[in-house]
Amino acid sequence: MGFIGRISKFESADKNTLFVRVHSRFDFRLQREFRAACHVRRYRRYVIDLGGIDCIDSAALGMLMLLYRHAGEDRRAIALIQCGSEVLEILRIARFGQFFEIAGLDAPGERSKIGRFVSPFEALCVL
C-alpha cells in the first residue's frame, strides 16, 4: 500500500484496479496528491474510498470529473464507496450518479450494483 500524504493507494494483484482512500478533507489542498495517486497510468477500474472524509468541496468534485475523463468517460470504471451521509447528499445534488457508480446512491433509472463494498483498507483494519 502506498501513502502520499493524506491519500493512500493500493493496486490490485492483477494491476487492473486502483484503490484510493482519502484520509482528510477532500478539497483543493489535495489536488496534487490526488493527481499523483490516480493519474500515473490508466487502470480499468478505480475505487475511491471516501470513508475517511466528512466534507467534499467543488474542487474535489472537479478532481473526480478529471479522473472520469482520464478513465475514458466510462461510468463503470469508477466507484465511489464508503460515502458519509453529507458527502452522499452533495454527490446526489451534483448528479454524480450519472458519471460514477456510488455505493448508496442509485443512478437515474438504475439500481446500484455496488452494494456493501469492502475495500482493501477495511480488510487491512480487521487483520
Side-chain angles (χ1 to χ4, degrees):
M1 181 181 327
F3 289 94
I4 305 173
R6 296 163 291 194
I7 293 178
S8 55
K9 67 179 186 172
F10 176 85
E11 193 175 72
S12 65
D14 64 7
K15 309 271 189 219
N16 289 325
T17 303
L18 179 67
F19 297 90
V20 176
R21 181 163 196 175
V22 181
H23 297 281
S24 65
R25 286 183 53 95
F26 196 8
D27 60 18
F28 181 76
R29 293 174 287 186
L30 288 182
Q31 182 180 12
R32 185 170 288 152
E33 292 176 53
F34 188 77
R35 187 169 179 81
C38 296
H39 294 263
V40 174
R41 72 175 189 88
R42 190 166 173 203
Y43 292 87
R44 285 191 185 158
R45 182 114 169 111
Y46 297 83
V47 177
I48 311 299
D49 185 339
L50 300 177
I53 67 167
D54 56 6
C55 184
I56 187 168
D57 73 0
S58 60
L61 296 177
M63 287 182 254
L64 290 172
M65 289 306 298
L66 289 173
L67 179 59
Y68 173 73
R69 282 189 179 167
H70 178 72
E73 299 186 5
D74 179 4
R75 180 182 180 276
R76 297 164 301 168
I78 304 171
L80 305 179
I81 63 168
Q82 311 297 347
C83 303
S85 59
E86 289 181 29
V87 171
L88 200 58
E89 183 64 11
I90 291 168
L91 295 172
R92 186 192 64 74
I93 291 169
R95 304 181 132 198
F96 268 41
Q98 56 190 314
F99 304 107
F100 306 96
E101 289 187 353
I102 303 173
L105 182 69
D106 295 339
E110 198 173 304
R111 187 168 171 89
S112 176
K113 296 179 182 93
I114 299 174
R116 173 72 175 107
F117 186 92
V118 177
S119 75
F121 304 106
E122 285 184 291
L124 289 173
C125 291
V126 176
L127 298 177

